Amino acid sequence: MLEMTREEFEELVAEALDRIPPELTRLMDNVAVFVEDEPPADDPELLGLYEGTPLTDRGEWYAGVLPDRITIYRNPTLRICETREDVVEETEVTVVHEIAHHFGIDDERLHALGYG
């Protein structure tokens, strides 16, 4: 497995977030991004996870709720990557993929767009 500290990986996630166009980040609402070392035990190869209510599903009832949560998992990413450049690329794809879920884009569409 490729070696990379938690801090280095968190920096890559932050850089991937910085590359999201400002016109999109301005539309993001009530969402927080976290880095964890390992995904849930029932899905050990999971690279990222969006938990929450997509913007497209929110209505008048949506008030006073906890933020949506995007989690990027470090160790599965490092296990599938061979180089630091691979990690940078995979992290960016995963961040975009999970943010797209926040905007209501499903996995089928993301795979078609190359963010599977």
Side-chain angles (χ1 to χ4, degrees):
M1 182 169 92
L2 188 66
E3 293 293 323
M4 180 177 288
T5 68
R6 172 83 176 252
E7 292 76 23
E8 289 174 303
F9 189 79
E10 287 175 349
E11 183 62 31
L12 292 181
V13 171
E15 290 170 5
L17 287 166
D18 287 345
R19 286 191 286 279
I20 303 295
E23 53 273 12
L24 290 180
T25 57
R26 281 193 289 274
L27 297 173
M28 293 173 64
D29 181 49
N30 200 30
V31 62
V33 178
F34 298 91
V35 170
E36 298 290 341
D37 287 335
E38 293 291 346
D42 63 339
D43 199 354
E45 296 177 8
L46 188 67
L47 303 182
L49 180 65
Y50 170 76
E51 300 170 285
T53 304
L55 296 175
T56 54
D57 293 345
R58 295 179 185 180
E60 292 180 18
W61 60 269
Y62 188 86
V65 299
L66 291 173
D68 291 2
R69 181 181 177 100
I70 291 173
T71 307
I72 309 300
Y73 298 107
R74 180 174 72 101
N75 288 337
T77 303
L78 296 178
R79 284 192 288 268
I80 67 166
C81 294
E82 294 182 15
T83 66
R84 180 177 172 81
E85 291 75 25
D86 292 343
V87 176
V88 170
E89 182 179 322
E90 190 61 54
T91 300
E92 187 167 319
V93 167
T94 303
V95 167
V96 169
H97 181 107
E98 302 310 328
I99 288 173
H101 286 317
H102 177 68
F103 283 101
I105 301 171
D106 64 20
D107 280 329
E108 183 178 329
R109 180 71 177 135
L110 285 167
H111 285 272
L113 294 170
Y115 290 97

